[in-house]
Amino acid sequence: MDYLQGLNPEQKAAVLQIKGPVMIIAGAGSGKTRVITYRVAHLIRSGVDSFNILVLTFTNKAAKEMRERINHIVGPEAKNIWMGTFHSVFAKILRVEADKLGYPSNFTIYDTDDSKSVLRAILKEMQLDDKLYAVNFVLNRISAAKSALLTPAAYQGNPQIQAEDDSQRRPLLGKIYETYAQRCYRAGAMDFDDLLLKTNELLRDHADVRNKYQHKFKYIMVDEYQDTNHSQYSIVKRLASVNENLCVVGDDAQSIYAFRGANIQNILNFEKDYPDLKVFKLEQNYRSTQNIVNVANSIIANNKDQLKKNVFSEKDTGDKIKIMRAFSDNEEGKMVADAIMHQRSTNGLKWKDFAILYRTNAQSRSMEEALRKLNIPYKIYGGMSFYQRKEIKDMIAYFRLTFNPNDEEALKRVINYPKRGIGDTTVDRVIVAADQHQITPFEAILDAPRYVEKAPASLMAFATMIQSFQVITKTLSAYDAALHIAQHSGLLKDLYADKSVEGLNRYENIQELLNGIKEFSEREDIEEKGLDIFMQDVALLTNDDNDKNKDADTVSLMTIHSSKGLEFPQVHIVGLEENLFPSQMSLNSRSDLEEERRLFYVAITRAEYKLTISYATSRFKFGTLINCEPSRFIDEINAKYLELDFSAKPAPAASSSFGDERSAWSRKPADSFSKPKPATAPPVKTTSMLAKAHVPSAGFKPSDTSNLQVGMQVEHERFGFGKVISLEGNKPDIKATIFFKEIGQKQLLLKFAKLSIVTE
């Protein structure tokens, strides 16, 4: 029981309570992961079979970290726990039980791009206005319906929903949903929402399956319960209904995902479902200083819908929270960059000790510009994932088609890539023939002379190639099969032939994908290592699972939503202005405003010992400089915890008064900001990169870069002069990050970069 010694009394009590329904309310930085980990370990140490434990998380990263910690305590038994994200666990169950729903066990999992492609085709066939029926809107509507457990029939049969669609002049949404569901079913595919919807259907309609898993999962734990939607809530409730050994862990103050269906009422009303519930409150914050915790508490106290708790810290009082005022968004970026530079140099910190958090992605621009001017390395989190790159999706489409030839989206993606003489007209004929004969497009291709008018020989050759891939995947390892497909599909050759910088990057990305499959093939912690299992893992990756270089010494830039679960020694929260944070969309209801306040609470509690909040008195919006009003959230912070920095001079047309002694500052009346007002600003100066094309130095000649060092000055024949910021990787595949004076930061592969080292 030595693993219990490091727990505080409330943590220990939560770990030891293994029977019956339990709710652990875990304040920010309160050691939640440790409690979940030790509780699972304690279950196993108490004699519970690890095969009977189910742990549901929201990221693979969280599941992996917990499993590693549990393994450290109980050993190999940790491998037997059913632990993972909702989607990964239920995808695993659906693979086994798919035939009961009419799906193949090797069903494809569609990502967002796949779903959008299907919807675009449907909208085109139905000849609908793609502005009124925008793909993103339609997909979000279908996703919301599935999260609410509404099938197409239930959707179309609901008078209230139909009236709402009619009022928005979108009466055919139900029909689109129905057609979309039929297409996915025909293709043997499920999207992310289906993984939960179909699991609900499985447990609802098949008593034998429901009974099987109710008795298998005798102990269930759910992490981040405040983020569950109705579909997830229903699955958990059904699975736990026999034993009721259900433990949910979460913090209502960090419920920030209503936009994707999360229902805070699941945690607020948990006691109504389980009257004999045991509640434990983890209130000691081990992450942040007292001042930061006090500021967070003073903010969240303004919410009415919450589970009351008294979060405290026993760390030092710490610095007061600095409020910085800038006269423009660009000035705000400059102030933040200067502050980071100063703190790093005076306190011996690393770049990765700093994070800049913002409400919307668009705010990163001014921050990036300011950081680049000071040569501060940074990374934006939440950008394009590695697995969303075109070349990666192309390669994975070949893998998907190999295991599920009925996957229409994968088929359309690669049937003529690389080019093999199968034009759009031929593809359209294949799709039409498949629809007419109620077969899949691949079945139509297999018997093309019968079904497809003027079918080229290359069509049958393509089908033969895919069938050959199906054969080799049964005998080769995941890596060898992937390499074979990459080579014999022609994709690897096509990318290798492109000698441009972009082409080399794409080829490199495919090599990195193959490296990842090789690494997967050699893992000792998993039993099933087939290429199909690798693809399932990729399809179920969550946003924060994709980055393999999280330890790089760079300043982190991200939206507050992306920062959830992270922590940094120093945090800058930028853009604290009305209609930006809180967002304008949130000012229509109390529940929306309270979610924005919870989002601010999350941002504050990412900081360990220094927190800075900033806002601008003017900001460009749609090409016009407008006055900005300080956020109401700043007013809600107790002034005794604050230090005001108004050293920047506000622009004349965007000035505010800050002399009111009754508050930290006073604001203009709200109605004076109801419409954006142009502010006086200097003309925007633009420069054309083409006008500054670099002319190589006389006698320019690429150097031997095998001994290139960080800090060296280099010249590139196109990008000009620059300084090496970082080097990563191993010979001969070393990548250099270089800041070029004229164009900013670039990452280059040294063996192809042709750099000349500049000597004094």
Side-chain angles (χ1 to χ4, degrees):
M1 301 283 283
D2 56 338
Y3 57 91
L4 299 177
Q5 301 307 310
L7 301 175
N8 67 37
E10 196 70 6
Q11 290 174 330
K12 186 174 181 180
V15 167
L16 295 177
Q17 182 63 48
I18 60 176
K19 287 288 186 180
V22 173
M23 179 165 66
I24 301 173
I25 303 171
S30 62
K32 176 195 66 159
T33 302
R34 172 184 285 191
V35 170
I36 296 174
T37 300
Y38 287 9
R39 192 174 188 276
V40 174
H42 187 64
L43 283 169
I44 296 172
R45 284 284 185 90
S46 300
V48 175
D49 191 330
S50 55
F51 283 98
N52 296 139
I53 300 172
L54 170 63
V55 182
L56 296 170
T57 67
F58 274 85
T59 68
N60 294 302
K61 174 191 168 189
K64 181 182 179 183
E65 181 183 347
M66 289 178 196
R67 194 185 296 275
E68 288 173 351
R69 292 194 191 185
I70 295 167
N71 182 72
H72 185 69
I73 300 172
V74 302
E77 281 293 311
K79 293 182 180 180
N80 304 328
I81 302 166
W82 280 63
M83 177 182 288
T85 64
F86 280 86
H87 294 93
S88 64
V89 168
F90 298 133
K92 186 176 178 180
I93 291 174
L94 286 168
R95 293 282 181 206
V96 176
E97 314 291 350
D99 62 304
K100 296 178 176 62
L101 298 172
Y103 282 83
S105 61
N106 63 342
F107 62 84
T108 296
I109 300 174
Y110 276 175
D111 65 13
T112 301
D113 286 345
D114 296 322
S115 297
K116 286 180 179 179
S117 180
V118 175
L119 286 172
R120 286 191 192 97
I122 293 171
L123 295 173
K124 184 178 179 181
E125 291 166 16
M126 294 177 68
Q127 298 182 331
L128 296 174
D129 183 348
D130 59 4
K131 292 180 181 177
L132 187 60
Y133 289 94
V135 170
N136 286 339
F137 176 86
V138 175
L139 184 58
N140 289 339
R141 187 72 168 169
I142 292 173
S143 177
K146 290 181 178 180
S147 295
L149 301 182
L150 290 171
T151 62
Y155 185 101
Q156 294 180 85
N158 188 307
Q160 183 178 346
I161 291 175
Q162 289 305 303
E164 183 179 339
D165 288 350
D166 289 342
S167 69
Q168 295 181 354
R169 296 186 296 116
R170 297 185 179 99
L172 295 176
L173 281 171
K175 181 62 178 175
I176 296 170
Y177 180 14
E178 180 184 13
T179 308
Y180 172 75
Q182 290 170 348
R183 292 284 169 87
C184 290
Y185 182 78
R186 187 180 74 180
M190 297 186 195
D191 63 21
F192 264 38
D193 296 306
D194 281 327
L195 295 176
L196 302 181
L197 178 65
K198 299 303 178 184
T199 301
N200 268 294
E201 291 178 9
L202 190 66
L203 297 176
R204 181 195 66 198
D205 300 337
H206 299 271
D208 56 332
V209 176
R210 180 172 65 248
N211 185 64
K212 171 183 173 181
Y213 290 103
Q214 283 174 337
H215 287 84
K216 177 175 181 58
F217 300 133
K218 296 179 180 178
Y219 293 85
I220 301 173
M221 290 193 71
V222 184
D223 188 19
E224 304 286 9
Y225 190 69
Q226 77 280 353
D227 294 335
T228 53
N229 60 27
H230 180 62
S231 184
Q232 292 161 328
Y233 163 83
S234 298
I235 294 172
V236 170
K237 197 167 189 300
R238 274 202 176 92
L239 288 175
S241 61
V242 171
N243 296 293
E244 289 201 346
N245 294 322
L246 172 62
C247 174
V248 301
V249 186
D251 181 8
D252 58 294
Q254 298 186 67
S255 179
I256 59 173
Y257 294 115
F259 68 92
R260 70 182 189 196
N263 185 357
I264 193 175
Q265 298 304 319
N266 290 347
I267 193 168
L268 294 179
N269 297 328
F270 190 68
E271 193 166 3
K272 292 181 180 178
D273 288 334
Y274 303 95
D276 55 343
L277 179 71
K278 297 283 194 307
V279 179
F280 301 91
K281 296 182 179 180
L282 309 183
E283 297 174 308
Q284 183 172 354
N285 182 307
Y286 292 92
R287 175 189 301 153
S288 308
T289 62
Q290 292 181 43
N291 268 336
I292 292 172
V293 170
N294 289 338
V295 166
N297 288 343
S298 67
I299 286 293
I300 206 65
N302 291 278
N303 274 9
K304 289 188 176 181
D305 287 339
Q306 62 173 298
L307 299 168
K308 293 293 183 182
K309 57 185 175 297
N310 178 36
V311 179
F312 65 94
S313 172
E314 293 185 351
K315 284 193 166 189
D316 294 339
T317 303
D319 294 344
K320 288 188 175 184
I321 281 61
K322 180 180 284 189
I323 304 291
M324 296 197 308
R325 178 184 66 184
F327 65 80
S328 70
D329 47 353
N330 287 336
E331 178 68 17
E332 182 184 31
K334 182 179 184 302
M335 292 176 71
V336 170
D338 286 343
I340 290 174
M341 182 69 82
H342 175 73
Q343 285 291 324
R344 180 178 181 270
S345 60
T346 56
N347 295 307
L349 301 173
K350 295 182 178 180
W351 295 122
K352 65 181 179 181
D353 293 330
F354 300 89
I356 302 173
L357 310 182
Y358 35 77
R359 180 64 181 84
T360 66
N361 279 307
Q363 292 170 256
S364 74
R365 180 199 59 79
S366 56
M367 297 297 137
E368 289 185 75
E369 288 181 4
L371 294 172
R372 281 201 299 266
K373 286 178 181 176
L374 293 182
N375 205 18
I376 296 176
Y378 66 89
K379 172 164 180 133
I380 296 180
Y381 288 78
M384 180 181 285
S385 142
F386 175 78
Y387 292 101
Q388 292 302 313
R389 299 178 189 276
K390 179 187 180 300
E391 60 275 13
I392 301 301
K393 289 179 73 70
D394 290 338
M395 190 73 263
I396 288 179
Y398 273 109
F399 299 162
R400 281 168 42 178
L401 199 58
T402 298
F403 288 98
N404 178 14
N406 294 336
D407 186 340
E408 186 174 324
E409 290 309 303
L411 176 74
K412 289 191 293 188
R413 187 175 189 98
V414 300
I415 192 170
N416 197 40
Y417 177 70
K419 291 187 181 300
R420 50 177 61 90
I422 304 174
D424 291 344
T425 301
T426 301
V427 175
D428 288 342
R429 286 173 181 162
V430 169
I431 302 298
V432 169
D435 286 340
Q436 288 176 343
H437 295 88
Q438 292 297 295
I439 57 177
T440 67
F442 193 76
E443 288 172 328
I445 293 172
L446 284 174
D447 200 357
R450 175 184 175 189
Y451 292 116
V452 184
E453 181 185 354
K454 299 179 181 178
S458 54
L459 199 60
M460 285 73 83
F462 174 75
T464 302
M465 178 183 70
I466 297 300
Q467 288 179 314
S468 73
F469 293 165
Q470 291 175 319
V471 173
I472 63 101
T473 55
K474 295 177 182 178
T475 58
L476 299 180
S477 69
Y479 172 74
D480 290 334
L483 182 60
H484 178 94
I485 294 171
Q487 291 172 335
H488 290 80
S489 65
L491 188 146
L492 208 56
K493 181 180 178 181
D494 186 74
L495 291 176
Y496 185 76
D498 183 354
K499 298 301 183 182
S500 67
V501 175
E502 293 77 11
L504 291 171
N505 285 338
R506 287 193 287 268
Y507 180 78
E508 241 182 38
N509 287 337
I510 293 295
Q511 293 294 345
E512 182 60 28
L513 173 65
L514 294 172
N515 291 341
I517 297 173
K518 180 75 170 178
E519 183 181 329
F520 170 84
S521 300
E522 296 173 352
R523 281 174 56 182
E524 296 181 357
D525 60 330
I526 54 174
E527 295 180 7
E528 296 181 271
K529 301 178 183 179
L531 184 57
D532 55 335
I533 303 300
F534 173 83
M535 287 194 306
Q536 176 175 304
D537 286 354
V538 168
L540 295 170
L541 282 176
T542 50
N543 287 338
D544 65 345
D545 299 317
N546 296 324
D547 183 27
K548 292 189 175 183
N549 197 26
K550 290 182 183 292
D551 292 328
D553 191 18
T554 57
V555 175
S556 299
L557 275 67
M558 66 188 78
T559 64
I560 301 168
H561 282 100
S562 298
S563 74
K564 178 90 181 297
L566 303 177
E567 57 188 45
F568 302 90
Q570 299 205 19
V571 170
H572 285 262
I573 310 174
V574 301
L576 259 291
E577 299 139 31
E578 284 292 292
N579 298 323
L580 181 56
F581 197 14
S583 72
Q584 191 168 12
M585 297 290 291
S586 72
L587 304 180
N588 298 322
S589 70
R590 175 175 296 279
S591 61
D592 289 343
L593 181 59
E594 291 201 349
E595 171 134 341
E596 286 287 293
R597 191 175 284 114
R598 292 194 295 270
L599 190 59
F600 188 37
Y601 176 88
V602 167
I604 292 168
T605 53
R606 298 312 94 199
E608 295 176 9
Y609 66 82
K610 190 169 185 61
L611 173 66
T612 304
I613 297 169
S614 59
Y615 68 94
T617 58
S618 66
R619 185 177 296 271
F620 273 101
K621 189 172 184 180
F622 305 118
T624 302
L625 194 66
I626 61 169
N627 285 309
C628 300
E629 179 185 5
S631 170
R632 68 188 68 196
F633 293 156
I634 299 179
D635 260 353
E636 293 175 356
I637 303 174
N638 191 320
K640 70 181 181 181
Y641 303 127
L642 301 178
E643 170 193 344
L644 308 183
D645 179 359
F646 294 161
S647 56
K649 294 180 180 179
S655 60
S656 306
S657 169
F658 292 88
D660 193 338
E661 295 179 358
R662 293 168 298 176
S663 171
W665 40 79
S666 63
R667 288 202 287 265
K668 294 183 180 182
D671 57 7
S672 69
F673 290 90
S674 57
K675 294 181 180 179
K677 298 178 180 179
T680 304
V684 178
K685 186 177 181 181
T686 59
T687 55
S688 168
M689 285 184 63
L690 293 176
K692 287 197 170 188
H694 177 69
V695 178
S697 302
F700 174 87
K701 184 180 179 181
S703 304
D704 175 8
T705 55
S706 59
N707 293 314
L708 192 69
Q709 302 286 325
V710 171
M712 281 185 173
Q713 301 289 333
V714 295
E715 182 183 10
H716 187 277
E717 58 185 342
R718 284 172 49 209
F719 304 145
F721 293 95
K723 181 179 180 180
V724 180
I725 296 174
S726 66
L727 297 168
E728 59 184 86
N730 299 312
K731 294 180 181 179
D733 297 313
I734 296 177
K735 292 179 184 177
T737 300
I738 303 171
F739 184 86
F740 292 100
K741 295 177 181 178
E742 296 295 339
I743 66 166
Q745 191 166 299
K746 282 275 188 183
Q747 190 174 66
L748 304 174
L749 194 64
L750 286 186
K751 62 184 179 183
F752 298 118
K754 297 181 180 179
L755 297 171
S756 175
I757 298 174
V758 179
T759 56
E760 296 297 334

